[in-house]
Structures are given as C-alpha cells and as structure tokens.
Amino acid sequence: MKPMDHLEHLDKHLVDELAQVARETVRDELREQTRKQRRRATLYAASGALALYAGAALALAVGLALALGLPDWAAALITAAILGAAAYVLRGMARPDRPGSGHGAGAVPGHDDAGRAAAAADGLPYPPVPPAPPAGPAPGTVPPRPTDAPDVPRPKG
C-alpha cells in the first residue's frame, strides 16, 4: 500500500461534498430568481386584466352616450367601428411598414412572412428584399482582374 492511497478517499469525499454544496447554492439562487420573476409576471397579468376591463367599461360608456341620440343598434355599430379603427391603428404602430415588407404596392411575389416572423422572434431586423438581383457577372464566372491592381504584374516596356 502506497502512503498516499488513504488521501485518495479524502479527495473523492471532498469533491463530492463540494459538488453537493455547489448544486444547493445554484438551486437556491434559481429558486430566488424564479420567485421574483413569478411575482412580476403575476403583476403584469393582473395589470393586463384590469386594463381589459377598463377598456370594456370605456366602450360601454361610449355606446351608452351614443345611444342617447341614436338607436341602440347604431350606437353599438359606431362603438364597434371606433374600437376596430383603434385596434388597426395600434397594430400599425406595433408593426410599421418597411421597404420590402411584403405589404402594399411594393410586395414581392413568392415571398411569405415566415422568414420575417422567425427573425422577429429572435429580435433581429429583417433585411429588405432587393427588387432585382444584383448586377454583375453571371454566377460561376470569374470577373477579369483590373490592370491597375497592385498584385498584377505589369509588362515592362
């Protein structure tokens, strides 16, 4: 038996204990962060629910105010049109038209929004689609080298 064999058992025990302490520390830290994020998410959800009810109450008030001078069905129709117009404006503010976005007169046939949705999910800007392929030599051909390039030998003469 070598004189250091008994220390190998101590090293293994120390490594196991250190790994357990590290796991418990990481677990406690993640638990604390999760608790804070859960509280924040709950507050955002409650805020959104209250905003939804506030919007419904406002729509009801507009409808009732219009119903004072109009038939009930007309007041409801006007209120719905106002809400639809507001939703359209908010959608436009959230997703403004960009050049080559595929909406309107500049739409490129054969291109869909799948790539844009994937890029938006990653938070990356979507590059605009060029209206025509870039001008230049045909694919697979090597363009001629310019004669004034510094690495091209010049004929002496």
Side-chain angles (χ1 to χ4, degrees):
M1 181 168 155
K2 294 181 184 177
M4 300 296 244
D5 283 345
H6 67 283
L7 292 179
E8 185 177 310
H9 173 69
L10 289 176
D11 288 344
K12 187 180 244 184
H13 180 69
L14 185 62
V15 168
D16 290 343
E17 188 174 333
L18 185 60
Q20 182 179 358
V21 168
R23 277 193 299 267
E24 288 174 1
T25 304
V26 169
R27 187 179 301 132
D28 291 342
E29 183 66 28
L30 288 175
R31 205 174 274 144
E32 181 67 26
Q33 288 178 359
T34 304
R35 189 176 301 127
K36 289 178 183 177
Q37 289 175 350
R38 191 179 316 138
R39 181 174 186 271
R40 184 180 296 156
T42 303
L43 291 173
Y44 274 122
S47 171
L50 290 177
L52 179 69
Y53 283 117
L58 180 64
L60 178 65
V62 168
L64 290 174
L66 288 173
L68 293 175
L70 296 171
D72 292 342
W73 63 269
L77 186 64
I78 292 172
T79 303
I82 291 171
L83 289 174
Y88 184 77
V89 167
L90 288 175
R91 180 191 160 271
M93 290 172 58
R95 185 178 172 187
D97 286 336
R98 287 173 249 136
S101 67
H103 295 289
V108 178
H111 286 81
D112 59 353
D113 290 341
R116 184 180 358 276
D122 292 340
L124 301 174
Y126 186 75
V129 178
T141 61
V142 178
R145 296 181 100 175
T147 57
D148 60 339
D151 61 341
V152 176
R154 295 186 191 157
K156 294 180 182 178

